[in-house]
Amino acid sequence: MRKAVSIVMACALAAAVMGGCSSAPKEARPEAVTAAESTVSETSREAGAGEGAESSEASGGGKEQAETESKAKVSQEAPGETAALRIGSLKGPTTMGMVSLMDKAAKGEVEGSYEFTMVTAADELVGKMVSGNLDIALVPANMASILYQKTGQGIEVLNINTLGVLYVVAGDDSLKTIPDLKGKTVYMTGKGTTPDYVFRHLLSANGLGDNDVTVEYKSEAAEVAAILKEQPDAIGLLPQPFVTAAMAQNENLKMVMDLTEQWDNLQSADGGRLVTGVTVCRKEVLEDGAMAEAVKVFMKEHKESAEFANNNTEETARLVAEAGIIEKAQVAQKAIPYCSIVCIDGEEMKGMLSGYLNVLAGQDASSVGGKLPDDGFYYIP
């Protein structure tokens, strides 16, 4: 069932998904964010400097990247067993929820059989999924919808693995809700990307327009963090774990707003939840009886791993650092509670994700692949 899809198609899809998402050259890096640049979130990747952008501290070049990817590869397969599920993920919060499973797999303490690959760029996962070189991938939520359209409905979403990781950061803790931003300037990355759509949706839903809030776009999160450090009254919109690292270097900064909470406060019937990452599987894997059972085992063990991450932050932080996702375990431990690690499946997943994608489509249909996915997009066993 490992059917290969044209390499030409893979390249075309990678270009379509990642167009306009390349990161600016990393020159002088502000000290405030060097610790966090060992990882980048899916949300930030969609904004052009997110999960997949390597740090000079943790990666720095091809050799180090190869070592990081190698450390993330684990195969646990005995003779005569079903072939290992090949699972790809991004270097950031989605993988943070899976490090316990990866660690147990390396020790032979899991029920399933897996080969894990962690990469630093979302387009790598796109190509591997389209070509059939991965069975399962943890990807940005809107990218899953794009993949569904581009592969002729060839994937299904297994679960939501990460909710919102975007936070408004400022020295002024009187900023409590979106309307409090009226007349202010907000610095963020990624004009015309999903974080931008999310923020503008929140502004519009709270009665604010372009004339009410000035948005200044920067090429990457490091620039936003630098402005926050230099200007005491500046307001930034950042993803975790950049938020935690910036706050560690600047005692005046506070997380004044969680955009996930602001989204939930709208209580929209069709607004779903603010979703960052989802787990997708190729349909041909799910159509193979033995492999489908293996996927169900993975889903169970993935959920257990996510629960472990939230309930055992110190141990998870150690595993995150060992995997090279975040350079320092201390930073990881502080960031984990704010990374919105979850494992939500079934009808609950469908309701949350469909509502979120509907909001994105209302802002820009191309952000979800041109149209909303049908019911076949959602894996409901």
Side-chain angles (χ1 to χ4, degrees):
M1 303 303 292
R2 311 282 193 193
K3 297 179 182 177
V5 181
S6 165
I7 297 300
V8 173
M9 184 178 180
C11 295
L13 177 56
V17 173
M18 300 311 297
C21 290
S22 59
S23 298
K26 295 180 176 62
E27 297 174 355
R29 305 305 247 172
E31 182 180 352
V33 295
T34 54
E37 290 198 330
S38 301
T39 181
V40 273
S41 77
E42 289 84 348
T43 301
S44 181
R45 174 60 186 169
E46 293 167 1
E51 186 157 5
E54 298 174 82
S55 78
S56 57
E57 180 177 335
S59 301
K63 178 181 177 182
E64 290 80 358
Q65 179 178 347
E67 290 174 350
T68 298
E69 190 164 330
S70 176
K71 282 194 293 184
K73 286 187 176 180
V74 178
S75 183
Q76 172 68 21
E77 182 178 349
E81 290 186 349
T82 302
L85 285 172
R86 300 164 300 170
I87 302 169
S89 61
L90 289 166
K91 188 179 178 183
T94 53
T95 305
M96 290 164 69
M98 203 164 57
V99 290
S100 175
L101 175 56
M102 295 165 69
D103 179 59
K104 288 182 177 180
K107 297 174 180 176
E109 298 175 354
V110 293
E111 181 181 348
S113 183
Y114 310 115
E115 178 183 295
F116 295 100
T117 301
M118 181 175 68
V119 300
T120 56
D123 55 345
E124 293 184 63
L125 294 182
V126 171
K128 289 177 184 291
M129 284 296 287
V130 173
S131 64
N133 290 324
L134 285 176
D135 302 312
I136 291 172
L138 284 69
V139 298
N142 73 306
M143 180 180 288
S145 181
I146 294 171
L147 268 171
Y148 185 70
Q149 309 298 353
K150 293 294 184 180
T151 58
Q153 294 76 50
I155 64 161
E156 293 185 39
V157 179
L158 302 178
N159 62 41
I160 295 169
N161 55 57
T162 319
L163 293 176
V165 295
L166 285 170
Y167 294 83
V168 175
V169 187
D172 181 4
D173 56 9
S174 69
L175 303 172
K176 302 292 186 182
T177 63
I178 294 295
D180 294 335
L181 297 175
K182 185 173 183 178
K184 308 290 186 181
T185 296
V186 177
Y187 296 91
M188 64 177 292
T189 61
K191 184 176 183 179
T193 60
T194 52
D196 188 24
Y197 298 143
V198 165
F199 186 53
R200 291 195 174 279
H201 169 69
L202 289 173
L203 292 176
S204 175
N206 282 278
L208 301 178
D210 293 340
N211 295 328
D212 297 308
V213 178
T214 301
V215 180
E216 291 283 345
Y217 298 97
K218 300 300 176 183
S219 62
E220 54 186 39
E223 293 184 62
V224 176
I227 291 171
L228 293 171
K229 188 174 183 179
E230 294 165 2
Q231 302 178 22
D233 60 345
I235 302 169
L237 180 59
L238 284 170
Q240 287 288 0
F242 287 111
V243 172
T244 298
M247 288 172 58
Q249 297 295 328
N250 185 348
E251 62 182 14
N252 294 321
L253 286 181
K254 305 174 185 67
M255 285 186 290
V256 296
M257 269 182 253
D258 177 350
L259 290 200
T260 301
E261 291 181 357
Q262 297 300 313
W263 185 288
D264 291 345
N265 288 342
L266 295 176
Q267 297 180 331
S268 172
D270 60 352
R273 296 291 303 278
L274 181 52
V275 180
T276 293
V278 300
T279 307
V280 301
C281 182
R282 291 188 298 113
K283 277 194 175 180
E284 58 185 357
V285 173
L286 294 170
E287 291 168 354
D288 180 294
M291 295 300 287
E293 289 303 312
V295 171
K296 290 180 180 179
V297 171
F298 163 72
M299 292 178 67
K300 176 178 71 73
E301 295 190 313
H302 186 192
K303 180 169 290 190
E304 293 169 353
S305 184
E307 291 173 352
F308 182 90
N310 289 317
N311 296 328
N312 301 272
T313 56
E314 183 175 357
E315 176 64 12
T316 300
R318 181 185 66 79
L319 294 173
V320 165
E322 287 182 358
I325 301 172
I326 295 180
E327 181 73 8
K328 298 178 180 179
Q330 299 94 318
V331 174
Q333 187 172 355
K334 291 179 180 178
I336 287 168
Y338 302 102
C339 286
S340 301
I341 295 169
V342 296
C343 200
I344 301 168
D345 55 22
E347 292 292 345
E348 185 180 11
M349 170 268 290
K350 180 181 178 181
M352 290 181 176
L353 181 56
S354 62
Y356 171 70
L357 294 176
N358 185 59
V359 170
L360 290 187
Q363 295 277 326
D364 183 354
S366 67
S367 68
V368 297
K371 62 180 180 179
L372 289 170
D374 57 29
D375 287 347
F377 180 60
Y378 306 96
Y379 176 71
I380 311 292

